[in-house]
């Protein structure tokens, strides 16, 4: 994520974002007229150097981070070669940053947190991807889903107990439509593929199971915290519009082939991933849904954001929130 051509479309340089440009959270910030949130590590470094004296928001995301701790997977022979940081670490960073955000009175801090818009995730995709890549089968991975969802629900409740007033909890995207999954789990059995989209059915069924359990947990959390706003962001169905009818949304190169990759039927090669030697990028990412095998292009993220912010893909509808009452976090 730190090498070209990442970031080429909007930022014109790599920023650590897993796309050619902006992510859904960036479009959400713009919609609510909030600044794009800087990465946590950068904020900490600027604070130490005295280069920053006011923080309005922070992005704690770590590429490849799972919801469950790495130790859980290591005990089962499942390895994450990308990061040792999980959701728990990001929550710790959130708590560590609160004093910097709340330099005034405790009343100010309480009000600041209450007015903050927190986006928690999406979490879960990395848990399942690294499990499959380590050789776990679908039956075993299915048993992880309730544990992953419980971790997300626990984090949601922790944030609400701190006093966060509005929290968006996304479901996960249809992984069965990604170039990486389609390459890694290519099948000679036509029944493994959705005839409408070409996506892998069994992978998307796992994702749907995760999203269903997550919504059930969020319903329970709303009952426990009636004065807070807990929003489920349906990334899955917002994205499926693009995979079902890519041409309708301007994706003339289709939904399944990556813009940036190392060749093959879906332009994904684990030995020559986007930004690495042997990979190439397309001339116009806006014609593609998929950016690098696992992640989406800015153009796709824009459409998903529209579905969330102006369409039917948030529960309750996020467009009923008053932008002037929010600060990003």
């Amino acid at each position: 994520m730190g090498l070209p051509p990442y970031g080429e479309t909007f930022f014109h340089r790599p920023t650590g974002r897993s796309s050619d440009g902006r992510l859904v959270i960036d479009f959400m910030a713009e919609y609510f007229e909030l600044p794009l949130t800087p990465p946590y590590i950068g904020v900490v470094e600027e604070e130490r150097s005295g280069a920053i004296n006011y923080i309005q928001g922070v992005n704690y995301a770590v590429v490849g981070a799972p919801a469950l701790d790495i130790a859980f997977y290591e005990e089962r022979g499942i390895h994450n070669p990308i990061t040792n940081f999980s959701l728990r670490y990001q929550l710790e960073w959130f708590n560590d940053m609160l004093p910097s955000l709340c330099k005034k009175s405790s009343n100010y801090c309480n009000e600041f947190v209450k007015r903050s818009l927190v986006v928690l995730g999406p979490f879960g995709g990395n848990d399942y991807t690294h499990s499959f890549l380590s050789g776990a089968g679908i039956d075993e991975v299915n048993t992880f889903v309730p544990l992953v969802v419980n971790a997300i629900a626990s984090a949601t409740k922790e944030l609400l107990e701190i006093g966060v007033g509005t929290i968006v909890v996304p479901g996960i995207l249809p992984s069965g439509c990604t170039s990486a999954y389609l390459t890694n789990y290519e099948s000679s059995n036509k029944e493994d593929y959705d005839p409408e989209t070409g996506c892998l059915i069994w992978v998307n069924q796992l994702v749907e199971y995760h999203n269903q359990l997550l919504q059930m947990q969020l319903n329970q959390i709303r009952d426990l915290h009636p004065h807070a706003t807990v929003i489920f962001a349906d990334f899955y169905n917002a994205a499926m519009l693009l995979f079902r009818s890519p041409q309708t949304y301007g994706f003339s190169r289709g939904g399944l082939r990556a813009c940036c990759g190392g060749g093959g039927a879906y332009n994904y090669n684990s030995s020559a991933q986007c930004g690495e030697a042997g990979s190439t990028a397309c001339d116009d990412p806006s014609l593609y849904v998929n950016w690098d095998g696992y992640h989406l292009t800015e153009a796709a993220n824009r459409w998903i954001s529209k579905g969330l912010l102006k369409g039917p893909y948030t529960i309750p509808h996020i467009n009923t929130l008053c932008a002037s009452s929010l600060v990003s976090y």
Side-chain angles (χ1 to χ4, degrees):
M1 315 306 170
L3 297 171
Y6 283 92
E8 66 177 15
T9 296
F10 182 79
F11 301 98
H12 308 298
R13 60 181 177 82
T15 63
R17 289 170 172 82
S18 50
S19 182
D20 61 303
R22 287 165 288 185
L23 307 177
V24 171
I25 192 171
D26 295 318
F27 287 112
M28 291 179 68
E30 290 178 356
Y31 178 80
F32 288 114
E33 299 181 353
L34 298 168
L36 303 188
T37 52
Y40 169 74
I41 298 300
V43 171
V44 170
E45 291 176 351
E46 289 187 358
E47 262 205 312
R48 287 172 179 167
S49 67
I52 187 171
N53 55 23
Y54 179 71
I55 305 169
Q56 192 168 352
V58 184
N59 190 332
Y60 301 92
V62 177
V63 173
L68 297 177
D69 285 347
I70 300 300
F72 170 86
Y73 293 110
E74 292 289 342
E75 291 171 0
R76 291 158 177 80
I78 294 169
H79 307 292
N80 185 333
I82 297 177
T83 183
N84 290 323
F85 296 114
S86 63
L87 169 56
R88 179 172 59 85
Y89 284 92
Q90 295 177 47
L91 275 177
E92 290 176 1
W93 297 338
F94 179 96
N95 286 308
D96 290 345
M97 185 59 66
L98 282 178
S100 297
L101 288 156
C102 302
K103 291 181 178 179
K104 300 181 182 179
S105 66
S106 59
N107 288 336
Y108 170 85
C109 185
N110 293 338
E111 183 63 22
F112 183 93
V113 173
K114 183 179 179 181
R115 292 178 57 228
S116 294
L117 171 63
V118 173
V119 181
L120 181 65
F123 281 99
N126 291 317
D127 293 78
Y128 310 135
T129 294
H130 293 304
S131 296
F132 286 129
L133 291 176
S134 292
I138 184 62
D139 291 339
E140 182 181 10
V141 175
N142 266 314
T143 67
F144 299 160
V145 176
L147 303 176
V148 169
V149 170
N150 283 341
I152 299 168
S154 295
T156 303
K157 287 184 280 190
E158 182 176 332
L159 290 166
L160 293 173
E161 287 162 4
I162 291 171
V164 171
T166 304
I167 183 166
V168 176
V169 186
I172 53 179
L173 290 162
S175 302
C177 300
T178 62
S179 313
Y181 269 86
L182 288 163
T183 299
N184 291 336
Y185 307 103
E186 185 177 4
S187 173
S188 58
N189 185 354
K190 292 184 179 180
E191 294 183 357
D192 285 340
Y193 296 92
D194 181 342
E196 182 182 11
T197 62
C199 303
L200 284 166
I201 293 172
W202 63 271
V203 179
N204 282 349
Q205 286 176 337
L206 172 74
V207 173
E208 290 172 347
Y209 175 42
H210 169 100
N211 290 339
Q212 289 167 1
L213 286 188
L214 181 58
Q215 289 185 74
M216 291 171 62
Q217 287 270 22
L218 295 181
N219 287 337
Q220 295 174 11
I221 290 171
R222 291 188 190 100
D223 291 339
L224 294 172
H225 297 272
H227 300 296
T229 302
V230 180
I231 298 170
F232 173 72
D234 190 356
F235 278 31
Y236 180 93
N237 283 303
M240 283 304 295
L241 291 177
L242 312 183
F243 293 112
R244 291 192 182 102
S245 304
Q247 306 286 339
T248 301
Y249 297 94
F251 299 107
S252 60
R253 298 304 176 89
L256 305 183
R257 183 174 171 82
C259 164
C260 182
Y266 300 100
N267 196 30
Y268 177 79
N269 182 341
S270 60
S271 298
Q273 298 191 51
C274 183
E276 297 178 351
S279 68
T280 58
C282 65
D283 293 332
D284 188 351
S286 70
L287 304 181
Y288 293 74
V289 175
N290 194 290
W291 165 244
D292 64 358
Y294 286 109
H295 308 102
L296 305 185
T297 60
E298 176 179 284
N301 288 327
R302 183 191 298 274
W303 277 111
I304 292 170
S305 302
K306 286 182 178 179
L308 300 175
L309 297 166
K310 299 181 179 180
Y313 297 109
T314 51
I315 304 171
H317 292 313
I318 197 171
N319 55 19
T320 61
L321 296 177
C322 177
S324 62
S325 69
L326 296 173
V327 293
S328 63
Y329 197 71

